[in-house]
Amino acid sequence: MANLNKVMLIGRLTRDPEVRSFATGGKVASFGFAVNNKRKNQQTGQWEDEAVFIDMEAFNRQTGRQLADIIEQYFRKGQQYFIEGHLKFDQWTSKDGEKRSKLKVVVDNFEFFEPRPGGMSGDTGTRGARTENPPKPPAMPGTSFDEPAPDLETPEPRGEEEIPF
C-alpha cells in the first residue's frame, strides 16, 4: 500500500519562532502558522475566510540544510510564507495524568513571499535582490541558501508549425 505525507501551505506566522537547542547539538524552531479556508455563510450566501491555526517545527539536519537557524534569523510574526512539510503526530501524558496529542507540521522547505528584514529580499529563500520576473516555483529540497537562485527565462511562444500534435 502506498503512503504519502506531504503538506503545502501559504499563510502567515502567528508568533515569532521559539528556538530550542538539544544537548546533542541539534536545534528546533517552533512557530505558529495561520491559513484561511473558504466557507459559505448559509445566512448571507457570502464566502468567508475561516482561519486555521497550525503548530510548525523546523529542525537543523546533521547533513543538509539548517532550517531552524534560517527560520530563527529571518521569520517574523505577520510575514507570509509558502511552507512544504509533512505531518507529525505528538502524544504525551500531561502532569495531571491525562493523555494528550497534537498534530504538527514539520517544515521540509519554504519560500519567502515578502522581503526579509534587513533589506534582504527574494521569494525562494536565497540571498539576492528580487527582480520583476514572474514568481518562481517552490525551491527544491537541497537548494543552497548561500547561492542566488537561477533566473527562470520565459520560453518564447512557438509558432503553430512547431506544435508536435
Side-chain angles (χ1 to χ4, degrees), residues 29-40:
S30 301
F31 57 95
F33 202 68
V35 297
N36 286 328
N37 283 338
K38 296 275 188 193
R39 68 179 196 94
K40 195 169 191 176

Side-chain angles (χ1 to χ4, degrees), residues 130-141:
R130 175 174 279 188
T131 62
E132 294 302 317
N133 292 339
K136 295 176 179 71
M140 299 303 292

Side-chain angles (χ1 to χ4, degrees), residues 154-163:
T154 306
E156 293 189 25
R158 293 182 177 188
E160 285 186 18
E161 65 280 352
E162 295 181 34
I163 298 175

Side-chain angles (χ1 to χ4, degrees), residues 14 20 90 108 111 139 149:
T14 61
R20 294 185 324 257
D90 284 344
D108 295 324
E111 242 185 87

